[in-house]
Amino acid sequence: MGKRGMVMEATGFASRHRWDSAFWLLFAATSWLAVAMGFSEPVRQRFAGEAPYVAPPILVAHVFVYFGWLVLLSLQVSLIARRRPDLHGIVGVAGAMLAVLVVITGFGAEVYSQRFWAQTDPENVRFFTFPLYVLIAFAICAALAIRARADSPSHKRLMFMATTAIMGGPYQRWWGGGLDAVTGTGPFNTWVHYYFAVNLLLAIAALYDRVTRGAVHRVLRIGIPLLVAGQVVAVAVWYSDWWPPFTRAALGIATP
């Protein structure tokens, strides 16, 4: 046991700190809050029969899988807080399968959405760059987290980044309008609109490492710049001339 209630790794980075349980539980709680604030109105519209289209099976499946991921996150964080790594490992098997379903259902739901909105807004296909980035970022981080499951500090931070990636949607719905009022329009506004909350969470995680360990874990040091670089690429693709025709061809959407 090191100073300030830390458990040290051979690398010198503390694998555990006495504040960790509170930090990860708070992250799970704020994720639920973001989903509640971001998706409450679409859910209300859906139940009130005011949604723009009837939900296809793939969208319904994605909703259940998405919520399932948050339930899994909360359960896994709680098990570690209760010092039950044995159960954490068992539940993690289900988590690996759920991660695959997040990607499959997320992609399918977005393809359906793009085909629907293309009927009234041909330029909406530009938006496809954002969910595509999210699913790629989530898939990579989740796969690396599963691979690093024996390395607890790396595993936790990779799972954090995977979950943070799919939090962009609810936060964008919740905060996007207010951010637009500050940043105006253009590529920078687009980047802020979709990624400010995600990057804030990543910055908080890095700051937490710095405060509790005196250094930022290598997963965050390497992962955060790569995630931000992916965001910049996604925004650049949004504003490119080649993306709309490419997306229409790839998704089987008729050219307007």
Side-chain angles (χ1 to χ4, degrees):
M1 179 75 71
K3 61 181 180 179
R4 294 184 294 176
M6 297 188 294
V7 177
M8 305 299 293
E9 290 184 298
T11 61
F13 189 89
S15 61
R16 192 167 70 244
H17 187 278
R18 65 178 182 273
W19 297 348
D20 283 0
S21 293
F23 177 81
W24 298 116
L25 286 169
L26 181 61
F27 171 64
T30 55
S31 296
W32 280 109
L33 176 62
V35 169
M37 297 300 293
F39 289 135
S40 58
E41 178 59 18
V43 169
R44 184 201 66 76
Q45 292 176 354
R46 183 68 62 184
F47 279 101
E50 301 172 3
Y53 57 83
V54 176
I58 189 66
L59 177 58
V60 175
H62 180 59
V63 169
F64 279 101
V65 168
Y66 190 96
F67 277 92
W69 182 264
L70 290 184
V71 171
L72 177 79
L73 170 72
S74 304
L75 176 60
Q76 291 291 69
V77 168
S78 298
L79 288 173
I80 291 300
R82 293 174 177 272
R83 301 290 192 270
R84 293 303 307 268
D86 53 333
L87 293 179
H88 180 89
I90 294 172
V91 175
V93 176
M97 294 185 288
L98 197 59
V100 174
L101 292 177
V102 168
V103 176
I104 293 173
T105 62
F107 183 79
E110 188 55 40
V111 168
Y112 183 92
S113 176
Q114 287 300 321
R115 288 173 174 169
F116 173 82
W117 289 113
Q119 301 173 46
T120 56
D121 181 9
E123 286 298 298
N124 188 71
V125 293
R126 291 184 181 277
F127 175 77
F128 191 64
T129 182
F130 295 129
L132 190 61
Y133 160 79
V134 166
L135 293 174
I136 291 172
F138 172 85
I140 292 173
C141 291
L144 291 174
I146 294 167
R147 182 179 180 183
R149 59 191 179 278
D151 177 0
S152 178
S154 296
H155 174 76
K156 288 178 181 178
R157 285 156 182 80
L158 285 163
M159 289 296 289
F160 168 83
M161 290 196 300
T163 304
T164 298
I166 61 174
M167 283 295 107
Y171 273 111
Q172 170 262 320
R173 289 173 179 268
W174 182 13
W175 293 4
L179 292 171
D180 290 346
V182 176
T183 58
T185 60
F188 177 73
N189 162 258
T190 302
W191 179 67
V192 171
H193 180 94
Y194 287 101
Y195 301 120
F196 174 79
V198 167
N199 292 335
L200 179 61
L201 291 172
L202 294 172
I204 289 172
L207 179 62
Y208 177 76
D209 271 3
R210 174 67 66 178
V211 170
T212 57
R213 273 81 170 181
V216 179
H217 192 276
R218 66 184 182 278
V219 162
L220 297 180
R221 291 201 313 269
I222 297 171
I224 291 176
L226 289 176
L227 288 175
V228 174
Q231 296 166 8
V232 173
V233 170
V235 172
V237 169
W238 167 288
Y239 284 94
S240 69
D241 293 330
W242 61 268
W243 180 245
F246 172 82
T247 305
R248 292 189 194 101
L251 302 184
I253 298 173
T255 302

